[in-house]
Amino acid sequence: MSIAENIASVQKQIAEYPCQLIAVSKAKPIDMLMEAYQAGIRNFGENKVQELTDKYDAMPKDIKWHMIGHLQRNKVKYIVPFVHLIHAVDSLRLLKEIEKQAKKVDRVVDCLLQIHIAKEETKFGFSEEELFDALNSSEIRKLEYVRVLGLMGMATFTDNDEQVRKEFAYLKQLFDSVKDKPDLPDYVQLQELSMGMSGDFEIALAEGSTMVRIGTTIFGERSSRF
Ligand SMILES: *Cc1c(COP(=O)(O)O)cnc(C)c1O
């Protein structure tokens, strides 16, 4: 199947949900991204800063670029001038660095906080307790150049659908309880829940995802080093 056909079939599956498709183009060449662009994709996700900035330079300027991978503080400055949404903010130090760099370019940068929902230790993110500590932190009641628009999570890599469903349901529940929390800092405006990849996006949709991040199903397998 072609990239355009793959996109059409994913779009058909998500059509009945209030959910946005992020095409994850990491490790794929520009000509494949252009194929997706021509098939109507305007939201692309990348997980490495260098690759993201190279592709931003090479691609049409009406694209919304999503940084979906772990972000190091010393690289924030390279993406704040143009990034549409940073999905994987996993510490207050990183959030503060985004504030600092975004202020320099006078731009409000939208972010999601990554929550650790999987069994694997290797995945990044806040625990529930750390999340509430962060939101209650007196140190950062005020951020002027950062908006926290939601939460993001990655489920355990497993064939056990029930396990994955539980993890997504947990994240959705956490999202709802943060949303209903009284006196949230002004910079927190929860509306997006980024969950679901090629292997588990149907489950994520059923559990309330508003953004699915899909690579392999659209562009095919990546070589293993990614
Ligand atoms: C690579 C990646 C995806 C997409 O994975 P696929 O299984 O190829 O759909 C989604 N989210 C993150 C954070 C990723 O790194």
Side-chain angles (χ1 to χ4, degrees):
M1 290 227 291
S2 70
I3 287 173
E5 285 169 324
N6 295 339
I7 289 167
S9 96
V10 171
Q11 269 163 347
K12 204 171 144 198
Q13 277 174 283
I14 72 172
E16 60 183 288
Y17 297 94
C19 184
Q20 240 190 325
L21 172 61
I22 318 298
V24 176
S25 48
K26 63 188 185 193
K28 297 297 177 184
I30 293 294
D31 60 319
M32 290 180 82
L33 274 70
M34 276 312 295
E35 261 185 84
Y37 181 86
Q38 269 141 18
I41 294 289
R42 293 296 179 274
N43 288 273
F44 287 86
E46 290 284 337
N47 71 337
K48 292 196 170 72
V49 166
Q50 181 72 55
E51 198 175 339
L52 178 59
T53 55
D54 288 349
K55 285 174 173 171
Y56 167 74
D57 287 340
M59 293 287 291
K61 289 295 165 284
D62 60 341
I63 289 174
K64 293 170 177 165
W65 291 98
H66 297 249
M67 174 61 191
I68 62 170
H70 180 65
L71 178 58
Q72 287 171 296
R73 275 178 295 135
N74 62 352
K75 295 191 175 162
V76 168
K77 56 179 175 287
Y78 302 116
I79 65 170
V80 288
F82 69 90
V83 72
H84 179 67
L85 181 64
I86 302 176
H87 286 237
V89 175
D90 57 3
S91 72
L92 283 185
R93 287 171 82 196
L94 176 57
L95 205 60
K96 283 196 271 185
E97 180 64 17
I98 297 168
E99 166 84 4
K100 182 176 151 193
Q101 298 300 336
K103 184 174 184 175
K104 283 188 190 164
V105 293
D106 194 24
R107 187 170 181 259
V108 175
V109 173
D110 289 333
C111 298
L112 307 178
L113 301 181
Q114 182 172 6
I115 309 299
H116 189 280
I117 58 171
K119 284 189 160 164
E120 294 114 339
E121 279 303 318
T122 51
K123 286 175 182 160
F124 293 97
F126 291 91
S127 68
E128 178 168 343
E129 194 188 347
E130 289 165 344
L131 175 66
F132 283 103
D133 283 352
L135 296 173
N136 292 327
S137 155
S138 53
E139 193 190 350
I140 55 159
R141 293 305 290 175
K142 243 185 24 208
L143 293 175
E144 289 175 288
Y145 294 89
V146 165
R147 261 196 323 176
V148 171
L149 280 191
L151 305 180
M152 176 270 207
M154 292 170 84
T156 304
F157 188 70
T158 172
D159 290 336
N160 184 343
D161 285 357
E162 188 49 28
Q163 175 69 27
V164 172
R165 196 197 59 74
K166 270 192 209 152
E167 291 171 1
F168 286 150
Y170 166 76
L171 184 56
K172 165 68 169 157
Q173 200 191 343
L174 186 58
F175 175 84
D176 289 338
S177 66
V178 173
K179 225 170 102 168
D180 294 341
K181 190 177 164 347
D183 53 80
L184 283 170
D186 289 340
Y187 68 84
V188 181
Q189 297 162 35
L190 246 51
Q191 50 199 75
E192 302 292 349
L193 184 53
S194 170
M195 58 185 196
M197 320 181 10
S198 292
D200 57 21
F201 74 92
E202 287 101 334
I203 305 171
L205 288 169
E207 297 302 330
S209 174
T210 69
M211 285 184 172
V212 287
R213 310 175 309 270
I214 300 187
T216 310
T217 301
I218 292 174
F219 296 106
E221 296 287 342
R222 293 176 294 272
S223 68
S224 61
R225 70 191 179 90
F226 289 94

